[in-house]
Amino acid sequence: MSQEQGPLRVMVVDDEPIVCRRVRPVLEKLGFEVETFLDGRRALERFEEAAFDVVVADVRMPGLDGLALLRRIRDRSRDCKVILITGLPASDVGAEALGLGAFAFMAKPFTIDALRRMVERAAAFLRETRDGPGTAG
Amino acid sequence: MPWWRRLLGGAPTREVRTVLTLRVTRFRHLLDTRAALDALIEDAAEKQGGGFVLDRQYVVTVVEQAGRIAEDAVFDLSVVTSLGDVPLFETVERLQGELRATLAEGSGAMGAEETSDEGREPPGGTSSVSPAALARALAAATALFRDGGQVACRGVAAGTVRNLAGGASLADTPAASVLVAEDLRGDGAAVLSTRRPSAILLDRGTAAGPAARLARELRVPAILALGDVTAQLPDGAFVTVDADENVVYLGEVPELLEYHRQSRPGAEQEEEPEYVLLRAVRRAGFPLTLVPGRPAPVAGCRTLHDVVHLSASLAGDAIGEIVSKACAARGVSVPLDGGPWETLRLIRLDEPHGSARGAVPPPPLQAFLRGVATAPAGERGGTAPLCAVASGGRVLVAAPGAGGLDLLDVDVEGSPHAGKVHCQLAALGDDGSESARGAFAAAVLGRLGFRVSAAGPWVWAASRRIPLAEAESRALLLGRLLARLAAVGRRPAAGVAADIDAFLGEVA
């Protein structure tokens, strides 16, 4: 848990720079503190230094891919909500991601609004878990 | 010898039915293939606007899908005609190669951008506006429109509204205003390039339309299809447009403007390489360049869209001839009461040969025939009979006229919203010259909600994923249209507008 009070912290990990560039402002406009990474290993190093509430990560990345990153995050935090995204059409990846404990799985391209709603839902879930039912909003 | 000549020479009825079923099924697959390309083209145009988060893989997928669709179309054509169309296959291979080269060239430029990013974090400035302050400001602002339109060009801008709905001229639009209008034509580029608006908001428009292209060309943030923005925003109002997120705020939101300015320095002047690549691919693969009203040679295919269109046209020619000949030789004769044709020759593939029901048109064909019967007395389409092949809720009609063969395919089978109607109508007049026929058909079908394209000597129209009852209603409308076209085909193209309005008034 990164903070009991204050803005939620979100990590975005995708080796395609455009995804990081597009997603960061969407989330910052919601008041989240956002850090972006083009590399799964760098992201994991950072995750070990500082806690994040939500991670949005691409499935297919060189080095440490999204599913491996999800496993490592799960080893370190049961609380963090991980949303996996992919441009690959393989639906079994989505099932595997959810089986490993991902909060959600989204196929690229997705609308800005769909991502916003998904991260807001994760944030609401976290707030409710931390503060008790009825406090999310 | 074509396969159907062998069949008409006395082959067993079961074989006639089987082969007819196979050819018609393959032709219908080609219709679906053609629709899949239309959907892909629309999807790519929508993504080009910027309302989605996409990556390079999406562009790669678009190229792969377009190539597969073109291959499928040429294969379907080969099956329908029993001829391996080698030149068309070679054309597909050549065009696929050109698209892949475009992709490789663009991807190379993107790779160069990435390797320059030594920190392995995306480029981008740091804003002095904190996320918390930004979120507070946006929460306090009044959002007039949120996700109600379609983003045609991303960006954030603010300005005073110039609403053209009251009759103001585009030429009088002050620079840096927020241009509000019902729609914009592509020819506004010359005016707006010297009076560049800060943003564009429209009632109508589509991602692939001229207004969207204009906005992207000028790099002006734009949201289209807002419905009633001209009614909501009077001249002189001040608004902040967030076309990154499809939102229009009343008044100025300085935190948003400052955040945008600092976080993406120079963003207005540049376009992300993925979008540049997508545009290059769309320009190379998607325009329909075949000349309307003229037969198209294979060598005239400059895009994959051309190939798919030509394949569908040639397959339509072939299936029309196949159905006409098979029905003439083996169909049951059904007399018609009114309309341009005296007789229907029907083959029901789902009824045993010689059964009583073999002469009963199924419901979608009955609807079509009710429409046909509305033709004025004396308007005859020619001496040849109307021909139809039907099975269950699916019917393929070949309607001969003096100017050519019209085709109609209706499907009212399957799930409640799986209705489909396709038609291929001859665009030329009775004497083969350019007449009102094509213009009339295209305009009427477009205003009736069909997706329409005109290239080569045909007008194509499709309406898909509609309720089954609506598909049947549309079959009736097409019957009325074909009946009317028997008369329109004799007129010159000029002066057809009044006829169109009159016809639409009749069928409303």
Side-chain angles (χ1 to χ4, degrees), chain B residues 158-392:
Chain B
T160 304
V161 166
R162 179 61 162 173
N163 191 331
L164 301 185
S169 165
L170 195 62
D172 297 331
T173 302
S177 58
V178 172
L179 181 58
V180 172
E182 293 174 354
D183 205 349
L184 284 179
R185 297 197 313 261
D187 59 6
V191 176
L192 293 180
S193 60
T194 57
R195 301 166 180 275
R196 190 174 179 276
S198 61
I200 296 173
L201 303 172
L202 301 180
D203 286 342
R204 299 195 294 269
T206 63
R213 289 197 295 273
L214 175 63
R216 290 195 284 263
E217 186 181 325
L218 297 171
R219 300 291 307 136
V220 171
I223 306 176
L224 315 183
L226 285 161
D228 62 348
V229 67
T230 52
Q232 297 288 328
L233 292 181
D235 241 6
F238 198 95
V239 294
T240 301
V241 177
D242 184 349
D244 280 355
E245 303 217 16
N246 202 350
V247 185
V248 181
Y249 296 98
L250 181 63
E252 186 177 20
V253 187
E255 294 86 350
L256 176 59
L257 296 167
E258 185 64 11
Y259 173 84
H260 179 73
R261 190 180 65 79
Q262 293 184 353
S263 62
R264 287 292 313 279
E268 287 77 12
Q269 282 72 47
E270 67 183 45
E271 191 175 28
E272 281 143 336
E274 289 80 1
Y275 288 88
V276 175
L277 183 60
L278 179 58
R279 175 177 294 112
V281 163
R282 289 176 58 231
R283 281 182 177 163
F286 289 171
L288 189 55
T289 71
L290 302 175
V291 179
R294 306 255 177 82
V298 173
C301 289
R302 304 210 315 253
T303 66
L304 291 174
H305 195 174
D306 286 343
V307 170
V308 173
H309 194 96
L310 181 60
S311 299
S313 298
L314 295 174
D317 289 347
I319 203 75
E321 190 175 355
I322 289 164
V323 167
S324 298
K325 304 253 183 197
C327 287
R330 298 188 175 273
V332 176
S333 194
V334 181
L336 298 179
D337 198 13
W341 297 275
E342 292 179 4
T343 312
L344 167 72
R345 300 283 294 183
L346 173 65
I347 295 178
R348 283 198 64 158
L349 296 167
D350 55 346
E351 295 291 337
H353 184 64
S355 76
R357 284 181 51 78
V360 179
L365 182 55
Q366 288 181 21
F368 173 76
L369 294 174
R370 283 198 301 277
V372 163
T374 61
E379 296 288 4
R380 290 287 168 197
T383 54
L386 194 64
C387 296
V389 174
S391 177

Side-chain angles (χ1 to χ4, degrees), chain B residues 420-490:
Chain B
K420 288 187 277 192
V421 180
H422 291 267
C423 65
Q424 172 185 310
L425 306 179
L428 303 180
D430 293 357
D431 59 356
S433 64
E434 287 188 35
S435 76
R437 198 178 206 276
F440 186 95
V444 165
L445 290 166
R447 284 167 64 176
L448 289 174
F450 284 81
R451 185 202 302 269
V452 180
S453 60
W458 304 110
V459 172
W460 282 81
S463 185
R464 296 161 51 82
R465 296 192 183 93
I466 54 178
L468 302 183
E470 187 181 336
E472 209 165 296
S473 300
R474 286 180 175 254
L476 187 147
L477 282 172
L478 281 167
R480 296 186 70 157
L481 175 62
L482 260 63
R484 180 62 59 90
L485 287 175
V488 172
R490 301 192 182 90

Side-chain angles (χ1 to χ4, degrees), chain B residues 116-176:
Chain B
S116 69
D117 178 26
E118 293 173 2
R120 297 303 294 164
E121 284 196 7
T126 303
S127 174
S128 62
V129 182
S130 72
L134 178 61
R136 275 196 303 274
L138 294 176
T142 302
L144 297 172
F145 295 90
R146 186 184 290 281
D147 296 317
Q150 188 169 29
V151 173
C153 184
R154 292 196 301 116
V156 174
T160 304
V161 166
R162 179 61 162 173
N163 191 331
L164 301 185
S169 165
L170 195 62
D172 297 331
T173 302

Side-chain angles (χ1 to χ4, degrees), chain B residues 60-86:
Chain B
V60 172
T61 304
V62 166
V63 169
E64 289 172 353
Q65 284 184 349
R68 274 199 300 272
I69 286 171
E71 286 173 347
D72 281 356
V74 177
F75 176 74
D76 289 341
L77 168 65
S78 297
V79 174
V80 170
T81 59
S82 296
L83 300 170
D85 202 321
V86 174

